[in-house]
Amino acid sequence: MDTSAYLSGLKYLVPEIYLLAVAAVSMFVHLFVKKRGARRAGYVVLAGLIAGVAVLFLSPLSPGEIYSGSLSVDSFALYFKAIFLLSGILTLVLAFRFFGVEKFEAGEMYYLIPLILIGMTAAVSSVDLITAYVAFELFAIPSYVLAGIFKKEQRSAEAGIKYFFLGTLSSGIMLLGMALVFGLTGETNFAAIGKALAGPNDHIALIGMILFFVGLFFKAALAPFHMWAPDVYEGAPTPLVVFLSTAPKAAVFAMLIRLVLTVFPKFEVQWTYIFQIIALITMFWGNIAALGQTNLKRMMAYSSIAHAGYLAIGLAAWGQLANTAILFYLVMYLFMNAAAFGLILLVRKSAGFGEEVADLGGLARSSPLAAGCLLVVLLALTGIPPTAGFMGKYFIFAAAVEKGLYWLAAAGALNSVISLFYYFRIGRAIYMEEPRPGIRFEPSVPVLAVLVAAAAVLLIFGIFPGLLTSIASAATLIK
Amino acid sequence: MIPPGYFFILSVVLFVLGIIAFFFKRDLITQFMAIEIMLNAANLAFLALARSSNFVDAQVIVFFIITVAAAEAAIGLAIVLLIFRKKKTIKTETLNSMKG
């Protein structure tokens, strides 16, 4: 490949280059603006990400694989990139509130977000082992810093170290899996590996696939590889949890979809079983562990694990319908999680934010708007119509039924019932309990904006799911 | 000459040792070393498998992995240092402020 081909390929990388520029500008603002430089760096990133949505949709899609078969900028990648940008925007809006209240403004945090986004956008479009690995680490390594960035709080440092250790452990396991897959085939391009593996049955390749997946399961917090998630989500600063619990998960699911489609089509029977078991364990573990929690962040951490389990059903029921359902559900999951963690930023205690479920008592009286939005979000999390949470689950279970996985769909429905118990506890605290002494509610504009946006999105796509499913089904890799 | 298959077996043994050390040691720096051993075991696996069938790409991959491992080491040691400043110890049993 000559130089001109490299240069002409750059036009497909405009979103990544743009994000790098946003991060660089923000970094300089943080360094050189004397007055409130950190906050202004944050504004630069927020403006940059909002404009980034336009950049994303204006930049061209590649006709096939580019750069000697290492990247494929297709509509599937574009869909996920839009999810990442949305996740970054929601996080930043909440972060301004959080760090303003805590009087701790870490400017680095703001430009780490676009840097992580570069890793993710590269990861979802990579179709090559080396590119996928480097992109994976490109978003993983800065996210360890994000979890530990709130240096005032001891729990944040603990979250950082736990995330780092389990994250690097998972990438080590993934790497060994890659080594096996590469060593057998000598190819790094996904499709080429898939072709080379299509020969006689090979147990080494199967082990390689399992190790590869285990690494990714760690990152997506799928049980039994989820142990780090509750601690990290509890200890990390709340707005950043919105980011850490949605964007990496979406990136991993995108990578898994690409992998099973191109690299491991031969082991379809095996990975279908793997995903079935993983989905089953993850749903039950997440929901049952959430039942006993009194800390709101920890409860929502387990709830987000359970939701990853529902998404894994979509992988087990592999097909066009299931893929559309995953893409639909990931967007809804983003808004549900943003509102569920944003909720914590409404509650002020004498020292910091109220994180207990009981701290929410009396919210309905002091802020009816926030309480109303939260009701919609809780209905969506449980999966009750007319919200998009119901439609998302309906599509996923329908895909499972279509593939004859009745028991998995039934288990999913049973889990929705289990989850009702703990979501109901949040609702009861908001609407029926008396306010606790020493708690006050400060519904600030940015937090309310996120809650209203989440409720609106969940209602609109709950009533008119076709608006998004048509886009999602066009973006799936299986046509 | 030692056959490349032996190197592959060595890499798997190293990897397993790394995992065992990671889960049984109670010290952040030792756990960190365990992870480094695992990453390097994966490197060795890449090279051994590639040597046995003459895949040149493996050497490129190993360069990338070494670079990424260096970045990981920088971040990891920084976080360990943060923990040490907060707690004056790097024993893992002190990391217990969150339960459930």
Side-chain angles (χ1 to χ4, degrees), chain A residues 12-13 16 60-78 81 121-128 131 189-190 258 262 477:
Chain A
Y12 305 115
L13 302 179
E16 282 83 358
L61 297 178
S62 68
E65 295 181 353
I66 51 171
Y67 287 116
S68 334
S70 52
L71 289 170
S72 169
V73 188
D74 43 22
S75 52
F76 176 77
L78 178 69
K81 289 177 188 178
T121 51
V124 292
S125 39
S126 63
V127 288
D128 178 277
T131 319
N189 178 271
F190 283 177
R258 263 199 211 279
T262 53
L477 285 175

Side-chain angles (χ1 to χ4, degrees), chain A residues 410-435:
Chain A
L414 175 64
N415 268 285
S416 298
V417 177
I418 299 175
S419 71
L420 183 64
F421 287 98
Y422 62 88
Y423 292 133
F424 177 72
R425 264 172 52 206
I426 302 178
R428 193 182 61 187
I430 292 175
Y431 277 94
M432 290 187 237
E433 280 170 18
E434 291 300 308

Side-chain angles (χ1 to χ4, degrees), chain A residues 18 58 62 68 206 209 323 331 350 365 408 462:
Chain A
Y18 171 78
L58 289 177
S62 68
S68 334
L206 187 59
M209 179 190 82
N323 269 280
V331 177
S350 51
R365 245 168 298 161
L408 202 54

Side-chain angles (χ1 to χ4, degrees), chain B residues 4-99:
Chain B
Y6 289 15
F7 284 105
F8 178 66
I9 294 166
L10 173 68
S11 76
V12 172
V13 170
L14 276 176
F15 195 86
V16 173
L17 284 177
I19 288 198
I20 292 173
F22 180 81
F23 283 107
F24 286 92
K25 285 292 176 181
R26 291 272 163 267
D27 180 312
L28 290 176
I29 293 291
T30 321
Q31 282 184 317
F32 184 70
M33 283 157 63
I35 285 177
E36 290 293 312
I37 286 178
M38 283 163 54
L39 289 178
N40 284 315
N43 270 341
L44 190 59
F46 264 113
L47 290 177
L49 288 170
R51 184 78 186 81
S52 59
S53 18
N54 282 324
F55 302 140
V56 192
D57 284 4
Q59 299 177 9
V60 182
I61 300 180
V62 168
F63 276 127
F64 275 106
I65 297 173
I66 292 173
T67 318
V68 168
E72 249 166 11
I75 297 296
L77 291 176
I79 302 178
V80 172
L81 201 63
L82 180 65
I83 291 279
F84 182 74
R85 284 208 188 130
K86 291 261 171 217
K87 308 226 179 201
K88 300 288 166 225
T89 172
I90 48 166
K91 297 284 172 218
T92 45
E93 58 263 24
T94 59
L95 303 176
N96 54 5
S97 59
M98 293 173 285
K99 285 223 174 65

Side-chain angles (χ1 to χ4, degrees), chain A residues 294-295 347-350 353-363 365-366 429 433-441:
Chain A
T294 54
N295 181 304
V347 194
R348 289 294 309 282
K349 250 181 187 168
S350 51
F353 294 95
E355 290 183 5
E356 298 293 310
V357 176
D359 291 344
L360 292 171
L363 177 65
R365 245 168 298 161
S366 43
E433 280 170 18
E434 291 300 308
R436 270 186 157 186
I439 298 281
R440 43 180 216 289
F441 297 108

Side-chain angles (χ1 to χ4, degrees), chain A residues 28-365:
Chain A
F28 278 109
V29 169
H30 180 217
L31 283 175
F32 295 117
V33 174
K34 287 276 182 302
K35 203 163 150 258
R36 302 179 71 225
R39 176 53 64 101
R40 293 201 173 147
Y43 291 147
V44 169
V45 176
L46 181 62
L49 292 190
I50 291 171
V53 178
V55 172
L56 193 59
F57 286 101
L58 289 177
S59 45
L61 297 178
S62 68
E65 295 181 353
I66 51 171
Y67 287 116
S68 334
S70 52
L71 289 170
S72 169
V73 188
D74 43 22
S75 52
F76 176 77
L78 178 69
Y79 188 91
F80 276 92
K81 289 177 188 178
I83 294 182
F84 302 145
L85 279 182
L86 269 180
S87 173
I89 291 168
L90 291 173
T91 305
L92 279 169
V93 171
L94 294 174
F96 291 140
R97 166 74 183 160
F98 181 87
F99 290 104
V101 167
E102 294 282 0
K103 306 247 180 328
F104 176 90
E105 197 93 52
E108 307 84 86
M109 184 213 98
Y110 294 121
Y111 45 83
L112 277 173
I113 287 180
L115 290 177
I116 295 179
L117 290 176
I118 296 173
M120 289 172 173
T121 51
V124 292
S125 39
S126 63
V127 288
D128 178 277
L129 277 187
I130 308 179
T131 319
Y133 172 69
V134 173
F136 181 84
E137 293 293 351
L138 205 54
F139 76 75
I141 294 177
S143 59
Y144 310 141
V145 182
L146 272 196
I149 203 151
F150 191 35
K151 284 183 251 169
K152 254 174 40 175
E153 166 87 45
Q154 186 164 313
R155 287 188 303 171
S156 179
E158 280 191 36
I161 198 82
K162 283 178 183 165
Y163 198 24
F164 170 76
F165 272 127
L166 273 305
T168 40
L169 175 73
S170 71
S171 62
I173 295 173
M174 191 174 89
L175 213 49
L176 190 67
M178 279 184 181
L180 293 179
V181 172
F182 169 81
L184 282 174
T185 58
E187 301 281 355
T188 56
N189 178 271
F190 283 177
I193 298 174
K195 224 175 271 164
L197 283 179
N201 237 339
D202 204 325
H203 294 294
I204 305 266
L206 187 59
I207 294 170
M209 179 190 82
I210 292 171
L211 290 173
F212 203 149
F213 282 180
V214 165
L216 292 172
F217 290 164
F218 260 110
K219 204 82 224 151
L222 289 161
F225 310 104
H226 68 287
M227 329 60 120
W228 55 273
D231 285 355
V232 171
Y233 293 174
E234 187 188 337
T238 311
L240 299 180
V241 178
V242 173
F243 189 70
L244 295 178
S245 67
T246 52
K249 226 169 252 186
V252 167
F253 272 93
M255 289 172 87
L256 279 172
I257 289 173
R258 263 199 211 279
L259 280 175
V260 296
L261 184 73
T262 53
V263 183
F264 303 114
K266 185 184 163 214
F267 297 117
E268 177 154 2
V269 181
Q270 285 90 339
W271 54 251
T272 311
Y273 278 122
I274 293 175
F275 289 137
Q276 285 173 19
I277 295 164
I278 290 282
L280 193 71
I281 305 176
T282 309
M283 285 188 301
F284 274 104
W285 203 321
N287 277 323
I288 290 173
L291 283 178
Q293 302 302 327
T294 54
N295 181 304
L296 198 55
K297 269 173 106 176
R298 217 174 166 79
M299 184 188 274
M300 293 320 300
Y302 279 112
S303 138
S304 78
I305 292 171
H307 282 274
Y310 301 130
L311 286 166
I313 296 183
L315 290 176
W318 182 254
Q320 218 269 341
L321 187 59
N323 269 280
T324 311
I326 292 178
L327 296 194
F328 180 83
Y329 202 76
L330 275 170
V331 177
M332 296 312 138
Y333 172 76
L334 165 65
F335 281 98
M336 290 191 283
N337 252 19
F341 285 107
L343 153 71
I344 294 161
L345 302 185
L346 290 172
V347 194
R348 289 294 309 282
K349 250 181 187 168
S350 51
F353 294 95
E355 290 183 5
E356 298 293 310
V357 176
D359 291 344
L360 292 171
L363 177 65
R365 245 168 298 161

